[in-house]
Amino acid sequence: MREIITLQLGQRANYLATHFWNLQESYFTYDEEESPVDHDVLFRSGTGADGSETYTPRTLIYDLKGAFGTLRKYNALYQLSEDVNPGQGLWDGREIIQQQPSIPQSDYQKNLDAGLPAPPLSAETVRYWSDYNRLFYHPRSILQLNDYELNSKVMPFEDWEMGEELFNNIDKEHDLLDRDVRPFAEECDQMRGLQIFAGADDAWGGFTAKYVDRLRDEYGKKAMWVWAIEDGAQVDRQARNKRDINKARSLHSIAPQSSLYTPIIDPPSRLPGSIHLNHRSQWYTSALISCALESVTLPTRLRAYHAFEASLAGDDSSHNIFELQSTIIQNQDKYRQQHPVSAGVPEDTGDRGSHPADAQTKFDIDFTYDGFEGERPHVFNQLLVMRGIEEQEDESPSSEDTGLQRKRRHYDSQPMFQSFNTPLKLPILDSFPQDMFREAPSDRKLGVLTGLTTSSRTAEKIKLMETVARRIISVDERETIINGLGEIRETYETGWMSGSDSDDE
């Protein structure tokens, strides 16, 4: 097998991951037809409290006190494991039990539990990410961190150092890898890697950095894909400076230890007119991100690519900071009129100049460098995933580059390309905002073109981070952060931007 263990670190990560898991659940087939998705990659088999077989996500869900809503550690599959009456222990005196008022279950969850059609959700009815969750999780997956409370005004979980300190304290007491990760890892036949959904511009960045450091020590050769979520909402100058510093620290600490590090702005500000988004609702914004993220990682779960054992985005091991971009295709005919040549597969032009091959650079949504304008970037590496995009008769089917083609591209300093095409469309689930896609087809399924790209744009963004770091970060860590960012930046500009100011002074 080629199992993947998932970690979900923080509120934004859990909003996104809940949509991700709902999509995985939708691919299950309950007849003789085999699903194109290999569920064993992300799910684990087990035994429930009543002896029945279970199938639950191989994931670890971390969040603060009060963030889980109505999601319980023990559910219908494992309710017999819950110690309802723990007893008094050695204390034989009178007990006074104080309980917080329970959170009422949403109508959506009530109907799911009763096996009834789920009512429509809205930004007002979704209070927590658990309100639209459609899966059962193993009790070991639910990990509440009681040191901090969600949305606390007294002690907000915002400073990067707070996350570091929280991880260190918990790890010192429990050894998080032994307690949380290793039980899932030992169930795997051949663990392929870890994917991590995490906040990057608040205290969760510090928590994630420490976690990734421990994971890299333990699983040195395993792939590690980090989806670093950043808050895209407009805030005052002081809050923006804090976020910028946290982002710089996260990139400096996490990216060098990751196989793939992808900053994701939640939400991006530039959207096509065919998409409606409530920017104040994390349920809305994370649903849009999930369309791109779930699509671009789809090849790792498809049976057709069972032999695909390289890293998620190709052979270029020197560039691991990726840009996530996507075009959601609601109307196939309209898309064909706008893209008459092909569905977005890069074509080798034979040119040996600065841009020897045409990478796909025109996407409707840029989740990483939203609104960032500049000269045409040099592309080092790109992975394209096309799902549900009907090919015309005169189009040859897309497939990943052969080893010989990749070697030639590497020898000629050309961009590395991999492309995947699957007829499996993206379903619009009832857990999605139903008005998000204005031109959704009648079958409620979408085509999606998604790309992961490494380019020289990363160097420009890191330059801006260095400028902020010089101005704001305290003297005791300024040199370390700036030098580390500078070394990362040089990887994305060497040979292509040598004429520009390196800003090293």
Side-chain angles (χ1 to χ4, degrees):
M1 277 307 299
R2 52 191 187 109
E3 298 94 345
I4 296 172
I5 295 177
T6 303
L7 280 73
Q8 306 168 207
L9 309 178
Q11 184 76 175
R12 289 191 174 276
N14 288 322
Y15 265 91
L16 175 56
T18 301
H19 283 299
F20 177 86
W21 289 118
N22 287 347
L23 286 166
Q24 305 316 304
E25 190 260 353
S26 72
Y27 301 139
F28 279 88
T29 55
Y30 300 96
D31 51 25
E32 295 182 357
E33 182 181 359
E34 184 180 60
S35 171
V37 176
D38 183 355
H39 303 295
D40 290 329
V41 173
L42 292 177
F43 286 76
R44 58 175 294 279
S45 58
T47 304
D50 59 355
S52 61
E53 293 186 1
T54 63
Y55 211 52
T56 52
R58 193 182 293 108
T59 188
L60 297 166
I61 306 172
Y62 294 85
D63 217 328
L64 305 180
K65 182 179 179 181
F68 287 84
T70 59
L71 184 67
R72 296 184 301 161
K73 188 177 184 71
Y74 297 93
N75 50 56
L77 297 180
Y78 297 94
Q79 59 185 355
L80 297 180
S81 300
E82 186 171 17
D83 195 353
V84 178
N85 183 18
Q88 291 182 303
L90 298 176
W91 173 253
D92 58 0
R94 183 182 177 185
E95 289 185 339
I96 300 176
I97 300 176
Q98 294 183 342
Q99 291 183 331
Q100 289 184 330
S102 60
I103 300 172
Q105 196 174 35
S106 66
D107 291 339
Y108 185 86
Q109 291 296 330
K110 289 179 182 177
N111 283 35
L112 287 182
D113 290 345
L116 301 174
L121 291 165
S122 68
E124 290 72 33
T125 59
V126 175
R127 305 153 300 169
Y128 306 91
W129 50 264
S130 59
D131 285 340
Y132 58 93
N133 168 62
R134 297 184 58 88
L135 285 81
F136 289 125
Y137 298 97
H138 191 280
R140 288 202 309 262
S141 292
I142 309 301
L143 299 157
Q144 179 172 286
L145 307 181
N146 295 316
D147 300 65
Y148 294 89
E149 192 166 357
L150 180 69
N151 298 327
S152 171
K153 302 297 183 183
V154 177
M155 195 164 55
F157 198 57
E158 296 177 350
D159 294 331
W160 209 80
E161 296 87 349
M162 296 171 70
E164 283 188 309
E165 182 181 5
L166 177 60
F167 180 89
N168 289 334
N169 291 340
I170 299 175
D171 192 47
K172 182 179 180 180
E173 182 177 356
H174 299 290
D175 192 329
L176 282 183
L177 262 63
D178 271 345
R179 188 192 71 176
D180 300 342
V181 179
R182 190 160 285 113
F184 285 100
E186 290 177 348
E187 293 175 342
C188 300
D189 293 332
Q190 186 179 356
M191 188 178 79
R192 180 181 174 197
L194 303 105
Q195 66 171 350
I196 302 172
F197 299 86
D201 60 353
D202 55 12
W204 285 107
F207 188 91
T208 304
K210 285 294 185 180
Y211 214 141
V212 168
D213 187 57
R214 289 277 280 112
L215 289 169
R216 183 54 71 195
D217 286 343
E218 183 71 18
Y219 305 105
K221 295 183 179 180
K222 301 298 182 183
M224 200 174 298
W225 309 321
V226 179
W227 309 100
I229 307 165
E230 305 170 357
D231 193 344
Q234 297 295 321
V235 292
D236 58 52
R237 183 183 182 86
Q238 182 177 358
R240 186 172 66 251
N241 287 340
K242 179 178 290 187
R243 286 183 187 173
D244 289 342
I245 292 304
N246 290 337
K247 286 189 287 187
R249 287 169 171 156
S250 293
L251 188 142
H252 168 260
S253 301
I254 303 172
Q257 303 206 68
S258 307
S259 309
L260 173 148
Y261 182 89
T262 305
I264 297 175
I265 299 173
D266 179 17
S269 62
R270 296 188 179 186
L271 297 172
S274 59
I275 292 178
H276 163 71
L277 202 65
N278 182 339
H279 287 71
R280 295 184 298 275
S281 169
Q282 289 188 55
W283 170 58
Y284 263 88
T285 61
S286 58
L288 179 62
I289 297 170
S290 72
C291 295
L293 189 149
E294 198 276 331
S295 296
V296 84
T297 59
L298 190 58
T300 66
R301 302 182 293 278
L302 290 177
R303 297 183 191 277
Y305 300 110
H306 233 290
F308 177 61
E309 290 298 333
S311 71
L312 182 60
D315 298 336
D316 180 11
S317 59
S318 59
H319 302 98
N320 65 337
I321 301 176
F322 284 81
E323 309 155 28
L324 177 65
Q325 297 136 329
S326 186
T327 296
I328 296 176
I329 302 162
Q330 304 179 49
N331 187 315
Q332 293 272 356
D333 293 335
K334 183 178 179 180
Y335 178 76
R336 287 296 179 189
Q337 293 174 1
Q338 296 173 347
H339 305 82
V341 178
S342 74
V345 182
E347 297 179 352
D348 193 344
T349 63
D351 180 14
R352 293 295 184 267
S354 299
H355 308 284
D358 289 333
Q360 176 73 17
T361 58
K362 294 182 179 180
F363 295 90
D364 287 347
I365 312 170
D366 188 338
F367 291 100
T368 298
Y369 300 141
D370 180 41
F372 181 72
E373 300 291 346
E375 298 180 2
R376 181 181 178 183
H378 174 82
V379 174
F380 300 103
N381 186 13
Q382 186 173 76
L383 168 84
L384 287 179
V385 175
M386 293 158 283
R387 62 182 304 181
I389 300 176
E390 300 172 1
E391 293 183 332
Q392 294 178 338
E393 294 182 358
D394 58 344
E395 289 180 1
S396 58
S398 64
S399 62
E400 64 268 35
D401 287 335
T402 64
L404 181 61
Q405 288 174 321
R406 292 198 297 268
K407 288 179 180 178
R408 176 179 61 79
R409 288 183 179 276
H410 181 71
Y411 180 80
D412 292 339
S413 297
Q414 293 181 333
M416 301 283 191
F417 289 122
Q418 283 187 308
S419 60
F420 298 86
N421 197 334
T422 174
L424 182 63
K425 292 186 177 182
L426 177 78
I428 303 176
L429 307 179
D430 58 20
S431 57
F432 264 51
Q434 296 302 295
D435 62 346
M436 188 162 66
F437 304 106
R438 302 183 190 275
E439 302 173 6
S442 58
D443 64 356
R444 308 297 287 173
K445 293 183 178 180
L446 305 171
V448 183
L449 169 65
T450 310
L452 277 176
T453 308
T454 59
S455 78
S456 55
R457 288 204 304 171
T458 296
E460 295 297 329
K461 294 299 291 187
I462 294 178
K463 277 186 179 180
L464 297 178
M465 286 186 177
E466 291 177 81
T467 301
V468 173
R470 284 191 180 89
R471 189 177 71 248
I472 302 176
I473 290 184
S474 59
V475 176
D476 55 339
E477 64 172 335
R478 183 185 304 161
E479 184 176 355
T480 301
I481 298 289
I482 292 176
N483 289 343
L485 291 174
E487 291 176 3
I488 297 172
R489 169 175 50 78
E490 290 173 359
T491 306
Y492 295 85
E493 64 184 10
T494 301
W496 306 108
M497 304 171 65
S498 57
S500 62
D501 295 333
S502 62
D503 202 21
D504 284 335
E505 298 300 325

